[in-house]
Amino acid sequence: MAIKKSSSPLRVLADLSMFFCILLTPICSATPATAPATLLQVKSSLTDPEGVLSGWSPEADVCSWHGITCRPGEVGIVTGLNLSGYGLSGVIPLAIGGLISVESIDLSSNSLTGPIPPELGMLENLRTLLLFSNSLTGTVPPELGLLKNLEVLRIGDNRLHGEIPPQLGNCTEMETLGLAYCQLNGTIPGELGNLRRLQHLALDNNTLTGGIPEQLAGCASLLVLSVADNKLQGTIPSFIGSFSDLQSLNLANNQFSGGIPVEIGNLSSLTYLNLLGNGLTGAIPEELNRQSQLQVLDLSMNNISGKLSISAARLKNLKYLVLSGNLLDGAIPEDLCASDSSSLENLFLAGNNLGGGIEALLNCGSLQAIDVSNNSLTGAIPTSIDRLSGLINLALHHNSFTGVLPPQIGNLSNLEILSLFHNGLTGEIPPEIGRLQKLKLLFLYENQMSGSIPDELTDCTSLEEVDFFGNHFHGPIPERIGNLKNLAVLQLRQNDLSGPIPASLGECRSLQALALADNRLSGALPETLGQLAELSVVTLYNNSLEGPLPESLFQLKNLTVINFSHNRFSGSLVPVLGSSSLAVLALTNNSFSGVIPAAVAWSRNMVRLQLGGNRLAGAIPAELGNLTRLSMLDLSFNNLSGDIPAELSNCAQLTHLKLDGNSLTGSVPSWLGGLRSLGELDLSSNALTGGIPADLGNCSSLLKLSLGDNHLSGSIPPEIGRLTSLNVLNLNKNSLAGAIPPALRQCNKLYELRLSENALEGSIPPELGQLSELQVILDLSRNRLSGEIPASLGDLVKLERLNLSSNRLDGEIPPLLLQLTSLHLLNLSDNLLSGAVPAGLSGFPAASFAGNELCGAPLPRCAPSSPRRLPGTEVAAIVAGIAVVSTAVCVALLYTMLRVWSNWRAVSVSSSDGEESAHGGGRDKWGAAGDGKYWKVGSPVSSSAEEKHSSGSETSVIHGKSTEAAGDAKS
């Protein structure tokens, strides 16, 4: 069987109420007579620190109980419960739903926790429910939608979450709905548009999304609409212009976009319009000038462009005009104000692109605050600025104003803030400024002002902050500076002030920050500075102050920052160690002496300790290891001795460790590899021994590693190649041996590499040519490197200095070095290089190539046909070849001579035999007749011819071999 769906949300709520009646029979059976018992249940669930509920007793008439209101003329009919602002805590009990006759409940401004009871939906007579400003949690009960007579619901400023229940749209008598300052999300329910009587809707400071629903147009009686500080999007709906009675519209700090609807100009009753902090674009609608009742207009922090079209002359009631942080351009309009009718008191136009001068503002006679900072305004500060006699705040900073500060500024007797910094003002501070008895803040920094600081300034006895940083003021600090009893900040840094620090400064007992750095101050610090008990920051660096520090400084227990660097102070450090709150102690480049006191470690929040460039002696205190937040430790260029204390390994946040220029001994500690945040490690110019620990390769953030000028030995660990962020590697002036590890190529951000004056050997790794960022120097001089200069060094196109001198490098200078177009220092001297200097390097001095076998500019010219000097191995091979060929020729000649002799002997024997045969006339031994052929063959003539032929052939062969041998010898 199909289940019939509920016809309306009201039916659902009715079913829910019946369900609650079953569960909560006492509540459903409640009558006016049960109110005292119900109220006592309420009392039992609350903690009452002020005892306001002590009179709630069954023996007393309920209508006499504190906070209880009864219906006039009727006994015991409770209509009101008001316990607002009594500091009550606890939860709101479910039993409160039994107060069926109650019309008003006010439990606001207490410390109540827990959820809002849904049982409140049973109170059908309830007209006012005020639970705001507690710590209630949970969601907004949809059961509140059953309260048909509810007129005021204010439950904001709690910890409520979830969505706004659409059932609230059923409370058709609702006039005020306050859900602001909670943690509500979701969208604004369109059902709220059913609240035709609604006058105040406050949903601000939640995390609502979506847009303003169109149904909200039904709330035609709205007087106040505030949805500020949410995440609402879309355009501002034009129907808002139909709320004819609307007095306050606050849509600030959302994500609205598009233009400002011109229909808003129809809101003739509007007194407050705030659209700040959105993404609105376009121009300011001219129609806004029709809102004659408008008192506050805030369109700041948007992307509004165009001209400043608001006229305070037409908006006669306008007191606050806030247009800061937009894209407005052009000049400030002349008709912004009419001197007789304008009520404008506060004008904020900061952070736009406005130009021109500020003369138009002089017509706004009611102005009390002007902020036109961060624009492009020009010209001089008008001499008639004193027409604005009611001016309290004047902020013209971050513009391009020029000229002098007019003396008429002294006529603004109500002025409390004068902010003119970051302009182009010149000239002196007018003495008339001393008339400004109410002046609290005076900011003139980052101008071009000069002259002395007038003594009259010390008459401005209300001054709390003075900042003249970055000008050209000279002369002394006014002797009567101590008159400024309320002074909290005195910033005179980066001027040309001279003379001593006045002793009267100690009378500025409210002083918290004193910055006198970057001047020409001299003399000793006055003992009276010890009276500045509130002093937190003091910077005196870059002056000529001298002498020992006054012992009274030890009394300054609130000091957090001390910077006395670059002065001439001497004596002990103890006077500046009275505070245990120091975060920065910078005393570099003075003449402090003695040991480093262990008391330095009292300030456990220290982040910077800089004592370099003094005359401190003794060991580094192990107590410094207690400074676990330390990021910079600089003890360089002192007379410190002993080992580097292992306790410093506790300073795991160190980014800069500078111990160079001392007389430290022992080895480079391997625990340094555990300082993973270390960006600079400088231990150079000490007497450290041993090897470079491979653990340093774990300092992955290291930018500078300098271990030069020590007594280190062993090889360069290849683990250094893991320092891929390294910019500077300096290992010079040690006794390092072995090869340069090719792994250094992984340090591909190196721009300075110094390995000179060691005992490194082997060849220069070609991989160094991959260090493409190498710029400052590559210095491998004064080692034992051999082999040729790698051509890959020509890829270091950013390199400015290359020093390979005093090694054993041989071969020619690679032509690829001509690619080093940034090179301005080259030293290849004292090696075994040979050949011609490449023409592109001829601009370097002859000393760059001295001590080699080189020629060509800038050295003497190379000989035109100078035979090549053969290496010894080639000479030996040629000599051996000649010896072999000569032996072969001799053997051949001997063989030929033996053949000739043998043939001659054979011919002679044949001739003798022939003669005997002829004379015998008989046959030869072969039985042949002697017909004369034998004679012819064996005759001396034939033999001579044959011998001649044979000799010619032999001679030809011999000559050929000789020629070939000679050719071999020649070749």
Side-chain angles (χ1 to χ4, degrees), residues 62-77:
V62 67
C63 296
S64 67
W65 292 3
H66 185 86
I68 301 300
T69 303
C70 293
R71 187 175 299 163
E74 298 188 36
V75 178
I77 307 297

Side-chain angles (χ1 to χ4, degrees), residues 112 166 191 378 407 497 584 626 665 707 886:
L112 302 176
E191 287 80 357
T378 57
L497 300 172
V584 175
N626 295 328
T665 54
L707 306 177
S886 300

Side-chain angles (χ1 to χ4, degrees), residues 672-707:
L672 289 171
L675 302 179
R676 302 303 174 86
S677 299
L678 203 60
E680 179 183 14
L681 175 60
D682 195 342
L683 307 181
S684 60
S685 300
N686 279 286
L688 300 173
T689 56
I692 299 174
D695 304 76
L696 291 181
N698 298 326
C699 300
S700 56
S701 300
L702 207 58
L703 301 176
K704 178 182 178 180
L705 175 59
S706 184
L707 306 177

Side-chain angles (χ1 to χ4, degrees), residues 356-362 370 372 377-388 391 394-412 415 417-430 433 436 442-445 447 449:
I358 59 171
E359 286 74 14
L361 300 182
L362 302 182
I370 297 175
V372 293
L377 299 169
T378 57
I381 298 174
T383 55
S384 53
I385 190 73
D386 55 352
R387 287 171 55 185
L388 304 176
L391 205 58
L394 177 58
L396 307 180
H397 55 267
H398 268 286
N399 280 287
S400 298
F401 290 110
T402 55
V404 300
L405 180 61
Q408 290 82 358
I409 202 80
N411 298 330
L412 300 175
L415 201 62
I417 298 176
L418 179 58
S419 182
L420 306 177
F421 66 87
H422 203 86
N423 278 287
L425 299 176
T426 56
E428 301 183 356
I429 300 174
I433 204 166
L436 303 179
L442 177 57
F443 296 153
L444 303 180
Y445 62 90
N447 279 286
M449 301 184 73

Side-chain angles (χ1 to χ4, degrees), residues 630-652:
L630 203 62
S631 64
M632 174 178 282
L633 176 59
D634 181 3
L635 306 180
S636 61
F637 295 101
N638 280 286
N639 299 317
L640 301 173
S641 57
D643 292 354
I644 300 173
E647 288 79 1
L648 290 183
S649 62
N650 298 325
C651 304

Side-chain angles (χ1 to χ4, degrees), residues 32-54:
T34 63
T38 301
L39 288 171
L40 288 176
Q41 290 184 56
V42 171
K43 175 184 176 182
S44 66
S45 66
L46 300 177
T47 300
D48 176 20
E50 298 182 17
V52 295
L53 305 181
S54 59

